[in-house]
Amino acid sequence: MDLILTLGLDALNFALAIVLVAMGLVIIFGLMNVINMAHGELFLLGAYTLVVVQKAGGGFWLGLILAPVVVGLVGLVLEELIIRHVYRRFLDTILATWGISIAIKQAVILGFGPASYTVDAPLQYGVDLFGTTYPAYRLFIMAVAVLVILLTLFVFFRTRFGLAARGVIANRSMAACLGINTRRLDRATFAFGAALAGLAGAVMAPQMSVDPQMGLGFLIPAFLAILTGGGGLTGTLLGASLVGGIDSTFAKLWSPVLAQVVVFAMAIVVIRIFPNGLLAGRSRK
């Protein structure tokens, strides 16, 4: 029973962490039709922001607050200087964001070196759950993810910004004719998606090695979650549950390598049968 509960909590923890990363991707793509290949590097910038703040004596909680702010500002600058010039060229957005990812990674290596850093986590104690002791910080990660999901739902379904964003997603030209400033909305959306990646990086930093390659470890599962689920928040939640559950369970019971093989095999089968994702309608014949 203890093993089953631990496996379930670990799977939920990893799935919710994937959702934190994938939500920014979904929001940026849904509104701007941009596949952000630099999202993993925005994730690592959040982690490195936390490292810098802790080294400066600011503490974990200050770093956690500053990470989404700093990465959101980075996203704002990137959108203004690069992304906005390739909006209507879909393939160019992939190449542009891929170039940004390489540039950010190399800048991090130049600034911090290729070595890894560790972040001291708060809440270094266990919580008793039905007779099983589970790390409190992992429960904190899950709480943050759920809070961010609810906040995102509130923003997009209960605010004027969300109404305008959904209008642009439905019909950009009509939304512009109705007086919605699509340029300003694009800028805010990219910054918001980047901030979510930065928050995810800071939250996950104590659970992993902070190094220039760390973003890739969450970018790929996030893309797989979106592809298998079918996009949108509901599809992303379903896809993240599948990817996170399978990866975490197989890694715990057997090995991380086998877990990745099974996850990719699952994704291939799902995409073959449901080319648009599990929640995106019928598969093509």
Side-chain angles (χ1 to χ4, degrees), residues 6-282:
T6 302
L7 287 175
L9 289 172
D10 285 346
L12 181 60
N13 178 268
F14 189 44
L16 288 173
I18 292 173
V19 171
L20 271 180
V21 180
M23 272 199 309
L25 284 169
V26 169
I27 291 169
I28 290 172
F29 179 75
L31 186 69
M32 303 162 66
N33 202 31
V34 171
I35 295 179
N36 185 14
M37 300 298 292
H39 206 70
E41 280 59 48
L42 296 175
F43 174 90
L44 76 86
L45 284 181
Y48 273 96
T49 300
L50 182 56
V51 169
V52 170
V53 171
Q54 282 202 334
K55 284 186 174 295
F60 175 85
W61 301 111
L62 178 61
L64 186 63
I65 294 171
L66 288 179
V69 176
V70 170
V71 181
L73 290 175
V74 170
L76 199 63
V77 172
L78 291 175
E79 194 278 340
E80 180 67 28
L81 295 179
I82 301 172
I83 305 298
R84 73 185 183 95
H85 298 290
V86 292
Y87 276 154
R88 291 173 177 81
R89 305 198 300 273
F90 183 73
L91 291 178
D92 288 355
T93 63
I94 297 176
L95 293 174
T97 54
W98 185 27
I100 291 170
S101 74
I102 295 173
I104 291 176
K105 192 178 298 183
Q106 293 305 313
V108 168
I109 292 174
L110 290 173
F112 297 91
S116 61
Y117 292 83
T118 58
V119 174
D120 296 327
L123 311 177
Q124 295 183 359
Y125 55 87
V127 176
D128 184 72
L129 294 174
F130 306 104
T132 299
T133 301
Y134 197 74
Y137 187 73
R138 291 199 170 201
L139 295 175
F140 172 73
I141 293 174
M142 289 188 267
V144 169
V146 171
L147 182 63
V148 170
I149 291 170
L150 294 176
L151 178 62
T152 303
L153 286 172
F154 176 80
V155 168
F156 278 88
F157 291 96
R158 289 292 184 269
T159 66
R160 291 179 63 85
F161 172 84
L163 179 62
R166 287 183 285 122
V168 172
I169 291 172
N171 191 319
R172 177 176 287 266
S173 299
M174 182 61 71
C177 291
L178 292 174
I180 295 175
N181 189 331
T182 58
R183 175 74 195 95
R184 184 169 60 189
L185 196 64
D186 287 339
R187 189 186 299 121
T189 299
F190 197 86
F192 184 69
L196 287 179
L199 176 63
V203 167
M204 293 304 299
Q207 296 289 302
M208 56 194 304
S209 172
V210 178
D211 61 66
Q213 309 301 325
M214 67 180 295
L216 191 62
F218 272 88
L219 181 65
I220 293 175
F223 271 123
L224 290 177
I226 295 169
L227 290 173
T228 56
L233 183 56
T234 305
T236 301
L237 287 171
L238 175 60
S241 299
L242 288 173
V243 173
I246 292 173
D247 191 298
S248 177
T249 302
F250 275 80
K252 187 84 171 181
L253 294 178
W254 287 281
S255 73
V257 174
L258 179 61
Q260 292 186 12
V261 171
V262 175
V263 167
F264 276 104
M266 179 275 297
I268 291 170
V269 171
V270 170
I271 294 170
R272 176 64 185 88
I273 300 174
F274 303 96
N276 296 319
L278 291 170
L279 297 184
R282 295 180 179 179

